[in-house]
Amino acid sequence: MEKIEALVVGAGQAGVAASEHLGRAGIPHLVLERDRIAERWRTGRWDSLVMNGPAWHDRFPGLEFCGDPEAFPGKDRVAEYFEAYAAKIAAPIRCGVEVTAVSRNPDGPGFRVETSQGPIEARYVISATGPFQRPLMPDMVPESAGIMQIHSASYRNPAQLPPGGVLVVGAGSSGAQIADELQQAGRTVTLSVGPHGRPPRRYRGRDFVWWLGVLNKWDAEAPPTSEHVTIAVSGAGGGKTVDFRRFAQEGMRLVGRATGFAGGVMKFAGDLGANIAKGDADYLAVLDEADAWARRNGVDLPDDPQARVMLPDPACVTRPILSLDLQAEGITSIVWATGYDFDFNWLKLDVLDATGRPRHQRGVSAEPGLYFLGLPWQARRGSAFIWGVWHDARHVADHIQKLRGYLSYAPATA
């Protein structure tokens, strides 16, 4: 049986980061990837996707993106970046190998890892499979309704959808960008908008990622609320602030949260106005904090009064639409931009809570020797971002190095 000290599952951004820090620590390791390096960036995204942060920010410290540092690289360039980074650090990545199960080694310390190419024994295992594992698509509209339904994970471009109107459910980064792209392609679009945060793309000459940095928001250790709130931000078109009122002004129909479907009619909550107002409050709070920081620190940045100018509420906000007959409205497809859930069924260990989420502290699991990387809010707000996972990986590698030190200890003999 093949044996390795540390085994990393997944060769996306988390797996490549783990390999770099394990290599620096001199820890023998192997990275297994069922497809290609950064495969989710290649085939798990729509065609026009770009990064939500500019190239100067969303990268690993050891390599810059080629070209304009203020640009938002497309998905293929991101995949190429991680391929180049893996080559740069000589990461021991083995592609085309799927991990099917991880269990405690019955014959000694560590774990037995079942793979598509045979079992491997490892003292340490790092799950680096990221946060986008199982697309969540509500079982709301039956197939008998005759509506094409896909998750945003399967959406590629407007031509993929049948002629007719499109309902996009979910107004986070994915839903907002897909709805905007469909509208720019001439489609009649209805967007279901739930609770969200809506940061400015740029303010006073700085990208919002810069503001989150100087305001120490990236290192926040816990979300401000126990409820998940999606963030609507976009790097599309060179980067622009997501503005739902602008979408409506350009012809998009906005509705509240989708709540049900019966007899060909989609039902929506009457919360659209409240959701947009909360998004505005989040947006304005960032501007207020940014202004206060600039004054306090004596930083001379250009004024940006236009950032506080809001378009008037469109009719669909002041008189919310609570139901739509999809056939009568010519809606032939639904794109569910409703997020993802974890899928750790391959971990045959007692490391998940009742909801299937990992039990861990900064990536160190409840099972000694097992680690997680790439989880949202794993250690801080930035954990699921490219640069954030690099720092989390360093903590995990350091923890493994500490354990190795304890295991190598031998008391002095008289």
Side-chain angles (χ1 to χ4, degrees):
M1 183 183 297
E2 184 176 3
K3 297 183 180 182
I4 191 69
E5 186 166 3
L7 183 74
V8 181
V9 183
Q13 58 204 44
V16 173
S19 182
E20 177 172 11
H21 291 294
L22 291 171
R24 286 184 176 182
I27 301 172
H29 67 283
L30 174 65
V31 183
L32 297 184
E33 166 57 51
R34 64 184 176 183
D35 294 304
R36 296 172 293 176
I37 295 171
E39 183 67 21
R40 288 299 180 92
W41 281 100
R42 302 173 192 276
T43 58
R45 307 287 194 274
W46 62 93
D47 295 346
S48 64
L49 177 80
V50 299
M51 294 199 309
N52 277 337
W56 67 262
H57 183 267
D58 286 8
R59 63 178 180 87
F60 287 173
L63 184 66
E64 296 182 357
F65 277 92
C66 297
D68 182 3
E70 297 292 339
F72 299 85
K75 66 184 185 69
D76 292 330
R77 282 190 61 199
V78 176
E80 291 165 1
Y81 173 88
F82 286 117
E83 268 198 333
Y85 205 97
K88 178 178 182 292
I89 64 173
I93 297 175
R94 191 179 297 171
C95 292
V97 183
E98 182 176 8
V99 171
T100 57
V102 175
S103 58
R104 266 292 167 192
N105 184 3
D107 301 319
F111 304 92
R112 180 183 173 95
V113 181
E114 303 293 342
T115 83
S116 57
Q117 294 187 6
I120 299 174
E121 285 186 5
R123 169 73 85 164
Y124 308 102
V125 171
I126 300 174
S127 169
T129 52
F132 306 118
Q133 296 171 14
R134 183 167 59 86
L136 288 174
M137 200 162 107
D139 185 18
M140 187 178 292
V141 181
E143 290 186 16
S144 59
I147 302 289
M148 178 181 177
Q149 301 180 67
I150 60 172
H151 190 271
S152 57
S154 300
Y155 171 80
R156 295 296 173 265
N157 54 61
Q160 176 189 14
L161 305 180
V166 185
L167 169 63
V168 179
V169 180
S173 293
S174 296
Q177 291 179 53
I178 290 171
D180 192 24
E181 175 176 91
L182 287 166
Q183 178 154 284
Q184 298 303 319
R187 294 302 189 98
T188 300
V189 179
T190 302
L191 177 62
S192 172
V193 180
H196 60 273
R198 190 176 71 88
R201 175 73 270 174
R202 293 181 66 83
Y203 182 57
R204 300 185 68 173
R206 296 289 188 273
D207 193 272
F208 98 100
V209 300
W210 186 88
W211 283 114
L212 291 186
V214 299
L215 293 173
N216 204 30
K217 300 289 188 181
W218 285 122
D219 287 325
E221 294 183 353
T225 174
S226 59
E227 296 183 7
H228 173 71
V229 177
T230 187
I231 303 297
V233 65
S234 173
K240 54 189 177 183
T241 299
V242 173
D243 187 340
F244 296 112
R245 292 184 181 87
R246 178 179 61 79
F247 285 174
Q249 190 179 69
E250 294 173 352
M252 190 181 299
R253 177 168 49 194
L254 307 178
V255 294
R257 287 178 302 108
T259 58
F261 178 87
V265 176
M266 198 81 171
K267 304 287 187 179
F268 304 97
D271 60 356
L272 175 61
N275 294 336
I276 288 181
K278 289 178 181 177
D280 291 345
D282 173 72
Y283 170 88
L284 292 171
V286 175
L287 304 191
D288 290 343
E289 287 191 63
D291 288 343
W293 180 90
R295 286 193 302 270
R296 186 169 60 251
N297 290 278
V299 178
D300 186 19
L301 295 172
D303 290 333
D304 192 359
Q306 281 299 116
R308 294 181 180 272
V309 176
M310 299 284 185
L311 292 171
D313 283 339
C316 57
V317 173
T318 58
R319 298 189 298 276
I321 299 166
L322 302 181
S323 64
L324 284 175
D325 184 316
L326 299 188
Q327 184 175 5
E329 295 292 335
I331 294 174
T332 59
S333 55
I334 301 175
V335 178
W336 296 94
T338 42
Y340 297 78
D341 203 355
F342 295 122
D343 184 2
F344 290 109
N345 288 331
W346 50 277
L347 288 175
K348 311 303 180 182
L349 301 159
D350 184 20
V351 294
L352 308 177
D353 65 17
T355 67
R357 295 177 175 273
R359 291 185 286 115
H360 70 95
Q361 185 176 32
R362 295 185 65 188
V364 181
S365 87
E367 178 74 45
L370 178 71
Y371 300 86
F372 294 94
L373 268 180
L375 304 178
W377 292 92
Q378 176 165 310
R380 60 183 67 84
R381 181 177 186 166
S383 287
F385 293 80
I386 290 173
W387 64 271
V389 77
W390 187 90
H391 291 282
D392 286 350
R394 180 167 56 187
H395 174 76
V396 165
D398 285 348
H399 195 276
I400 293 175
Q401 186 73 316
K402 284 186 289 186
L403 280 183
R404 294 175 90 218
Y406 284 119
L407 292 173
S408 64
Y409 168 74
T413 56

